[in-house]
Structure formats: C-alpha cells, structure tokens
C-alpha cells in the first residue's frame, strides 16, 4: 500500500511538473529572439519595397524619355511660396501646394522633385506659375514661359524661384 501511495504521489508530482512546464511563459531569451526575427523580416520587407519602387520607376519612366523637374528657392527671397503650377506643351504637368514643413525645407536650401514624366525627343514649352504672399501680405503671382529641348538622354530641369525683388529672373530655368 505504501508503494501504491508513493507511486500515486510521484505520478501526481510529475503531472503537476509537466503541466506547470507547459503553462509557463516563454523566457526572455525566446521573446528577444522572436523580436529580432520580426525586425529582420521588417528590414527585408523595406528593402524589397525600395527595390520595387526603383524597378517601377525604371519601367514607367525609361531613361530615353524621362524628364524630371526640381524646384528650389533662391537665397533670401522676399515672398512666401504657396503653390507652383507647371504645364508642359499647354498640358498641366503638376500642381503643388506647399505645407509649412515643405516650405521650411526649401528655405533651408532643399530641393523638391515636383515632376517626373515621359516626353518625346524634340522642342517643348514649359510654363511655370508661382503663387505666394509678399512680406507685406499682398498676393504675389508670377508666370514665366521657357522652351527646352529633350534629347535621347534623361533631362533634369531645375526651377529656381527668387521672388519679385529678383527682377526679370524671378523664375529661372536651369539644366541639372
């Protein structure tokens, strides 16, 4: 009988020990390992996403027809930029309204790509309209027209905005 009681007690302890082991929380080491795996997967997904974006841009905008237009502000401009409208060959290419953060970045020397598209080789007409406010609070509106030639190579154009104090160069087109 003592043997039977010892056997029952041992089985009970073993059952309790196994049950306690199964219900135990994962260890800190296991959780850290799982977190590291999740971070690796996130990193891989971000890398794949960046690669897909690059491939998509190459497919949608082949280098033989690609045109990109960038906007920058001249130093110490006397106006606050609110919006830019760009037309190519009398068709709206892009229109952008600036947020405070974007304007701050441009005023700090930043450059913004506002347009990427495909154009056939040859002569093209570019129209740039700028809307903003002068230092005194008056509305400012300026429009300039330019012509440029698109060759077989990609074409990068920079538009420098200087404001009303710059005279005839309030909006300037540059090759990049």
């Amino acid at each position: 009988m003592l043997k039977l009681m010892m056997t029952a007690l041992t089985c009970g302890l073993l059952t309790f020990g196994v049950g306690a082991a199964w219900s135990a929380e994962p260890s800190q080491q296991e959780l850290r390992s799982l977190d590291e795996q999740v971070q690796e997967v996130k990193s891989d997904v971000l890398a794949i996403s960046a690669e897909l974006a690059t491939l998509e841009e190459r497919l949608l905008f082949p280098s033989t027809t690609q045109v990109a237009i960038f906007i920058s502000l001249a130093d110490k401009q006397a106006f606050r930029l609110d919006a830019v409208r760009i037309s190519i060959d009398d068709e709206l290419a892009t229109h952008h309204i600036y947020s405070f953060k974007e304007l701050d970045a441009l005023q700090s020397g930043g450059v913004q790509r506002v347009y990427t598209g495909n154009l056939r080789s040859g002569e093209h007409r570019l129209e740039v309209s700028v809307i903003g406010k002068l230092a005194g609070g008056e509305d400012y509106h300026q429009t300039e027209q330019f012509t440029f030639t698109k060759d077989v190579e990609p074409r990068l154009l920079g538009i420098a905005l200087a404001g009303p104090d710059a005279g005839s160069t309030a909006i300037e087109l540059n090759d990049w």
Side-chain angles (χ1 to χ4, degrees):
M1 173 107 169
L2 184 59
K3 208 173 197 182
L4 185 61
M5 283 179 57
M6 288 293 272
T7 306
L9 184 61
T10 305
C11 286
L13 287 174
L14 284 175
T15 303
F16 177 76
V18 170
W22 280 346
S23 68
E25 297 284 323
S27 71
Q28 290 290 10
Q29 182 66 23
E30 290 171 336
L31 287 177
R32 241 182 258 124
S33 174
L34 183 59
D35 188 45
E36 289 171 0
Q37 290 175 3
V38 167
Q39 292 304 321
E40 283 181 31
V41 169
K42 283 183 180 179
S43 179
D44 290 345
V45 166
L46 289 173
I48 290 170
S49 176
E51 191 174 328
L52 281 174
T54 301
L55 290 173
E56 179 182 30
E57 185 170 325
R58 286 182 185 166
L59 178 64
L60 293 176
F61 307 110
S63 63
T64 57
T65 63
Q66 184 176 15
V67 172
I69 300 174
F70 299 85
I71 297 284
S72 65
L73 292 178
D75 291 336
K76 298 181 183 172
Q77 70 285 354
F79 77 106
R80 181 192 76 212
L81 177 64
D82 288 335
V84 171
R85 183 176 194 261
I86 297 174
S87 298
I88 300 175
D89 298 330
D90 297 323
E91 290 187 29
L92 179 64
T94 187
H95 180 269
H96 189 78
I97 299 172
Y98 287 90
S99 69
F100 177 76
K101 286 184 179 184
E102 290 171 328
L103 186 57
D104 189 43
L106 285 174
Q107 289 172 338
S108 299
V111 176
Q112 178 194 19
R113 179 171 63 174
V114 292
Y115 175 77
T116 301
N118 298 320
L119 291 177
R120 59 176 167 59
S121 295
E123 192 90 2
H124 297 278
R125 196 162 41 91
L126 178 73
E127 182 176 279
V128 180
S129 295
V130 176
I131 299 170
K133 292 271 188 199
L134 297 175
E138 303 90 39
D139 289 337
Y140 172 71
H141 180 69
Q142 179 74 31
T143 300
E144 294 286 337
Q145 293 185 359
F146 306 95
T147 57
F148 68 95
T149 303
K150 170 67 178 93
D151 296 326
V152 176
E153 296 295 318
R155 187 71 192 261
L156 303 177
L157 299 170
I159 298 172
L161 306 176
D165 293 341
S168 63
T169 59
I171 301 173
E172 190 175 294
L173 181 68
N174 303 307
D175 281 322
W176 280 18

